[in-house]
Amino acid sequence: MQAERSVTEARRLSVKGIVQGVGFRPFVYQLATTLKLKGQVANTSNGVTIFLEGPLHDIESFLQALNTQPPPLAHVTQVDVAHLAPKGYDSFTIRQSREDTQRLTLISPDVSICNDCKKELFDPDDRRCGYPFINCTNCGPRYTIIDDIPYDRPKTSMRHFRMCPECQTEYDDPFNRRFHAQPNACPVCGPRVALYDREKKKIETKNAIETTISHLKAGHVVAVKGLGGFHLVVDAENPAAVETLRRRKHREEKPLAVMSGDIESIRQFAVLGQENEVLLQSRQRPIVLLEKKKDYALAGGVSPKNCTVGVMLPYTPLHYLLMKNHFTALVMTSGNLSEDPIAIDNEDAFDRLQDIADYFLVHDRDIYLRSDDSVLRIVDNKQRFLRRSRGYVPVPVFLKTRLKPILACGAELKNTVCLTRESHAFLSQHIGDLENLATYAFFEMTIAHLKRILSIEPEIIAHDMHPNYLSTQYAKEQSQMVQIDVQHHHAHIVSCMAENHVEAPVIGLAFDGTGYGSDGRLWGGEVLIARLDRFERAAHLAYTPMPGGAAAIKEPWRMAVSYLYGVYGKDFVNRRLPFLDRLNDSSLKIMVEMIEKDINSPRTSSLGRFFDGIAAMLGIRSHVAFEGQAAMELEMAAETWTGDLYEYAWSSEEPVLVDPHPIITGVVRDIEKGVPSSMVSGKFHATLMAMFTDLCQVIRKKTGLSRVALSGGCFQNAILLSGLSKRLGERGFHVLTHEKVPANDGGIALGQAVIADAIVRRGG
Ligand code: ZN
Ligand code: ZN
Ligand code: FE
């Protein structure tokens, strides 16, 4: 009889998740050979399959290592183990993948430079020292350079660069960190940077990056080609440079993001906490909203009238070379004119950014798919997406159940689309506001690209109910697909349910600026009883006219007038409200007439507009430069409030109408008494929390539902999100919030997809 140690066992392991293009096979190879196991590893249609032969003890060690120390970029979702009869392998090999077997795998997002590569970047003895395109299996570009799958060099924008013998040797060696690193390159064989002036004339310099640094030091605006597109860059400590950039980019007040070289530099101007540091240093390298320090040293124009500043750490070697000890922070804002898509192509950048940038730092590695920087904020110790894009896309949202292949088209603003395959929902990168042709072209391109690299041929198309959205019009043209229209706020709530793996009905608080309602009106302060396939409107903010329609979004003073008219009639002009003094009589008269005669004054139940109206009454802001600005500044102004609340009331009909009038009366009384706006704002926030918590209790009594989902753009407001979650929790509610997709319209496509699937399964 043989000793137990030498009995050969055989197993087949099927590994699912992000396991291709992330160094998974070399990891398996190295592990198996170290343990002297025989067999092979291969990429398959939905992951990696490993055949192992050897003593049981070693196979178990292998399995343990597979679970506990996979390569940094791998994301293993499932390992199935099958017992087999040994075939008698005499070695362990990596089997080459066949093209048709890679169609169902997951693609890695772009990954920030790893520590090993960073070390080499600054090591004078390394052959890649100072090379801005250094990368390895554990880091570098992925999603933005892939044209098609399988993820092999010829299907990426690296196909134009032939590896030199040294790079090729690394690429072929399973024990090398660059084994099958598709973007592998070096100064001899890889992409290069070049500096141009705005006349498209190449600037002769030995070191384009050093020259760029000196131009930035001199206060110039430089367009820098990055990973997912161009950034417009200026020294964040130079007020004149920041103002120049704002003026040329036509971006008056929206905050600009900055990049700092390291955590220590960030500490000079922002307040850090452990969670923020972890998030800043994560390999996704998002922009994180941080509270400004009191002795904030950056130019005031970076993030005006805002107590936060968006900060990120470098994520490409090029960024590290630019930053290295030269600047406390650089403004790094998307390379575009106002809300156009970010420029990715050199020629396109020269054309579109010529009037903005003084210099262009470009390179010859093409970006196939633009991807803006992601933006997050920590609230209640959790990551909250304001924009989910570079670094996260195309990692899917993992769902509880399998869906049919669906394309969901998203909403109008902050558009993203979503494609589904089984239990994976692939939310696209940030596409932007679908209001112009350039963004619409990007929308169509993203859909085509995602369909191709994910091999999804959707049968169903989900879209918003709004008849005029470009995304709706696109969906209506897809006659080969089953078309499902989805109500905006229902989609918000279901996106929150889906990411939390909840299918049972919930009470949904959907609070945002605008969404098209089932009755054709503009909703936005909605309390829904939501199921996956349908919803009832349990309550909503009472309708208020929006004099001038879209103009009332840009000019919150119109909303203030509308609310005041609702409470006091024409007498509102006699209230002692300082903001009224700044308005001229004729424009007030016109507003009143529009409201009374119902001229271009659509009715809205939007909570976002209510915030706008209150902000205007307080004199915080009567005109906005970007959507949500007034509401944001109202949040910024708020002081923590623990005192008495404004009165609130609702009707007993169905749906319940939440009456804004008692709150307005209270706010007006406080303003007339000279109560500071910070206190009024704090009290207003606290009142909303108490009111909606009470309302949820009424609904719980009626329906027995104790789960509450919070979604919609208003939950970007940290006070509202945190305070309402806390109060509801204290009353015994189970509260669902967003952590995987944005609460704003950037997350809505996920809800649309899940709803469409539920409707089709129900039978339409
Ligand atoms: Zn690396
Ligand atoms: Zn090379
Ligand atoms: Fe919305």
Side-chain angles (χ1 to χ4, degrees), residues 315-347:
Y315 50 89
T316 67
L318 178 60
H319 294 150
Y320 271 106
L321 295 171
L322 270 182
M323 295 299 316
K324 189 70 186 164
N325 299 328
H326 295 295
F327 306 94
T328 307
L330 286 174
V331 166
M332 285 260 182
T333 186
S334 308
N336 54 12
L337 190 62
S338 358
E339 302 297 330
D340 280 351
I342 184 170
I344 53 173
D345 189 72
N346 293 356
E347 284 304 314

Side-chain angles (χ1 to χ4, degrees), residues 427-466:
L427 210 59
S428 75
Q429 74 276 32
H430 171 77
I431 293 171
D433 298 348
L434 273 186
E435 292 173 326
N436 61 48
L437 283 177
T439 318
Y440 184 70
F442 178 31
F443 166 84
E444 286 192 302
M445 192 183 107
T446 302
I447 292 173
H449 192 91
L450 276 175
K451 275 165 63 174
R452 184 167 66 242
I453 64 170
L454 298 169
S455 294
I456 297 175
E457 205 38 71
E459 297 160 7
I460 300 161
I461 187 162
H463 62 88
D464 197 273
M465 272 184 177
H466 200 302

Side-chain angles (χ1 to χ4, degrees), residues 488-489 492 512-515 712-713 744-745 748:
H488 188 95
H489 302 92
H492 268 308
D512 65 0
T514 305
N744 61 41
D745 287 2
I748 222 165

Side-chain angles (χ1 to χ4, degrees), residues 14-17 75-80 402:
S14 306
V15 188
K16 287 183 185 164
H75 181 92
V76 175
T77 56
Q78 198 180 329
V79 183
D80 294 322
R402 287 157 179 250

Side-chain angles (χ1 to χ4, degrees), residues 113-118 134-140 177-178:
I113 178 172
C114 72
N115 285 333
D116 291 327
C117 286
K118 201 173 130 194
I134 189 167
N135 69 83
C136 73
T137 327
N138 300 325
C139 73
R177 206 172 86 244
R178 298 197 162 89

Side-chain angles (χ1 to χ4, degrees), residues 556-609:
W557 67 270
R558 292 172 183 245
M559 288 312 301
V561 166
S562 177
Y563 285 115
L564 290 170
Y565 179 86
V567 178
Y568 305 99
K570 276 182 180 156
D571 283 347
F572 79 88
V573 291
N574 299 323
R575 310 306 317 190
R576 280 171 290 117
L577 299 171
F579 97 97
L580 288 174
D581 302 339
R582 291 194 288 271
L583 300 169
N584 63 47
D585 290 346
S586 69
S587 53
L588 279 177
K589 220 178 250 157
I590 293 169
M591 279 317 110
V592 170
E593 208 171 295
M594 287 173 85
I595 296 166
E596 284 183 337
K597 297 189 178 153
D598 192 12
I599 303 162
N600 189 20
S601 294
R603 301 280 183 277
T604 185
S605 58
S606 161
L607 187 69
R609 295 290 90 79

Side-chain angles (χ1 to χ4, degrees), residues 127 164 167 185-186 188-189:
R127 70 189 188 95
C164 69
C167 286
C186 78
V188 176
C189 65

